[in-house]
Amino acid sequence: MATGGSSGRSTAPGIAIVGGGLGGLTLARVLHTHGIAATVYERDASPTARDQGGTLDLDETSGQRALTAAGLLDDFRALSRPEGGELRLLAKDGSVLLHEPAPDGGGDRPEIDRYALRGLLLDSLPRGTVRWGHGVRSVAVSPTGRPALTLADGETVEADLLVGADGAWSRVRPVVSGARPVYAGVTLMDGQLEDVDTRHRALAELVGHGTMFALGDEKGVIAQRIGGERIRVYSTVKVPEGWAGTGAVTAKRVLDLFPDWDDALRALIAGSDIPLAPRPLHALPVGHRWDRVPGVTLLGDAAHLMSPFAGAGANLAMLDGAELARAITAHDDLETALTAYETALFPRGETAAALSAANLADFFRPDGLRRARDRFTSYASPRGPAQDSHSV
């Protein structure tokens, strides 16, 4: 990137991607394999500045398809955890209603920790592709008609193509759409147990090697086994949007919402080695779409934010990135490429968002346990909706 003089204005790369999550990195990687440079602007100061959450199961028709386009599928398989496909469904008294062992070899949706997957994508990019610590203050259209970013430090960047891969509260989305995420009525309290094979053997056995759902009373305790002898725990409750406040929530306050639940399930909450962080779930309207705006598009949560209860968020973000790169390389004209990309983006986002909304409503109602069992047993390759963790 050539830098201008004292004005602070810089000459932009042809493609600017806002957001260094899985979708934005996949886009940059696939473009790179075709010899097309892009710059990713990420507000985090470094790859390790923020916790990356739990585990993901990558579907062969979306996440794995994107990794194939990126030339990284074999590397992914080497990092994946086939045993993570195990699924357990429990009642609030701890009784097991459903137990699905992990498919041989991980089946068609192998598990991988989010931090490992992000690291794989980062390592595949040329040094300097991601500009760390470069948050976006605002986005506008410049007098030349090109999209322009104003970064947090005042630097301005113009681009031929601006891609909003910046998640739920995207700074790019308002350029193409007036839609805003709406609270879905459910909040997750995010905790984690460390050294579980030594310090929490009984809880490790309860959770198993994959994901455990315990549902009842319109709430749930969802636990995922992740790498490094850890268990990620999401206490899931229907509360008003502001119930949790702005900081960590005490274990006692969460446990008060689960008064007659099995002691072991309560111990998953009480035993967290990190402060319980509230994650209110938000979603964009099902079927969110926008009119074509020259030089600007969205992917991932910026385009079709949904709850994690379809296991689709990360998978779709990566597929969006790969498909956008494919459209760019397949068309000489950028606007033709963006039209082709969005024509396919909108219906696949709508399908997943509708399933996510339906699962969220079904699992956290009085008969949610029965509905979850019916849903899980109806899957040809059973997977829990929260396998996608969350990106809120």
Side-chain angles (χ1 to χ4, degrees):
M1 176 180 294
T3 303
S6 60
S7 67
R9 177 173 295 275
S10 62
T11 302
I15 300 175
I17 303 167
V18 179
L22 299 177
L25 295 177
T26 300
L27 170 60
R29 166 62 186 180
V30 179
L31 288 172
H32 172 65
T33 65
H34 289 275
I36 301 174
T39 299
V40 179
Y41 296 90
E42 170 55 49
R43 66 180 180 179
D44 286 351
S46 73
T48 59
R50 185 162 48 93
D51 180 80
Q52 294 301 306
T55 183
L56 305 168
D57 59 333
L58 293 195
D59 189 280
E60 63 181 355
T61 63
S62 51
Q64 290 184 61
R65 179 176 162 189
L67 288 171
T68 299
L72 298 173
L73 186 62
D74 288 342
D75 301 273
F76 155 72
R77 291 193 179 280
L79 293 171
S80 68
R81 297 183 298 102
E83 73 280 3
E86 182 181 3
L87 171 68
R88 297 185 180 195
L89 178 63
L90 279 63
K92 71 175 189 176
D93 63 3
S95 58
V96 179
L97 277 69
L98 180 67
H99 178 208
E100 291 285 351
D104 291 341
D108 58 3
R109 294 180 68 111
E111 295 284 335
I112 187 170
D113 288 349
R114 183 183 284 266
Y115 79 87
L117 179 57
R118 192 185 192 213
L120 172 63
L121 289 166
L122 285 170
D123 290 345
S124 74
L125 294 172
R127 184 181 297 274
T129 298
V130 180
R131 297 189 64 188
W132 299 101
H134 283 72
V136 173
R137 183 189 301 170
S138 62
V139 181
V141 177
S142 75
T144 65
R146 303 169 77 209
L149 304 173
T150 299
L151 303 179
D153 63 1
E155 178 185 5
T156 58
V157 175
E158 290 188 16
D160 298 311
L161 170 60
L162 172 61
V163 181
D166 49 342
W169 307 105
S170 170
R171 293 297 181 94
V172 180
R173 186 191 300 123
V175 177
V176 301
S177 170
R180 288 183 57 82
V182 174
Y183 180 54
V186 169
T187 292
L188 311 180
M189 259 63 69
D190 186 356
Q192 183 167 287
L193 279 64
E194 310 277 356
D195 302 322
V196 295
D197 293 328
T198 302
R199 298 171 51 218
H200 303 286
R201 288 187 179 181
L203 296 182
E205 291 178 3
L206 177 73
V207 173
H209 297 290
T211 299
M212 181 214 75
F213 287 82
L215 301 175
D217 303 335
E218 300 184 89
K219 62 192 71 167
V221 177
I222 303 169
Q224 297 178 324
R225 182 64 185 257
I226 59 178
E229 297 189 23
R230 296 171 295 163
I231 294 175
R232 201 80 179 193
V233 180
Y234 308 103
S235 313
T236 311
V237 293
K238 295 171 71 173
V239 291
E241 184 173 8
W243 175 87
T246 57
V249 180
T250 65
K252 181 183 183 305
R253 191 176 180 201
V254 179
L255 288 169
D256 285 346
L257 300 175
F258 296 83
D260 56 347
W261 282 53
D262 178 72
D263 288 343
L265 295 174
R266 286 168 53 86
L268 286 169
I269 301 170
S272 180
D273 291 302
I274 63 174
L276 297 178
R279 313 287 188 195
L281 298 183
H282 292 79
L284 286 166
V286 174
H288 174 239
R289 57 188 63 204
W290 55 88
D291 294 330
R292 175 92 290 285
V293 173
V296 185
T297 195
L298 308 173
L299 62 77
D301 286 349
H304 41 61
L305 177 68
M306 63 193 76
S307 85
F309 288 90
N315 279 285
L316 281 186
M318 295 174 67
L319 181 61
D320 292 347
E323 288 295 283
L324 177 54
R326 185 183 67 81
I328 292 169
T329 59
H331 297 87
D332 293 332
D333 177 70
L334 181 59
E335 286 305 304
T336 301
L338 295 180
T339 297
Y341 162 70
E342 291 176 354
T343 298
L345 168 77
F346 294 146
R348 72 169 171 259
E350 181 173 1
T351 298
L355 176 61
S356 170
N359 283 343
L360 180 67
D362 278 352
F363 292 2
F364 299 101
R365 53 187 294 167
D367 60 344
L369 185 62
R370 177 185 63 80
R371 288 175 176 267
R373 181 173 56 187
D374 292 345
R375 179 80 71 181
F376 290 148
T377 55
S378 71
Y379 292 162
S381 177
R383 284 296 179 272
Q387 290 291 86
D388 180 48
S389 184
H390 56 277
S391 52
V392 295

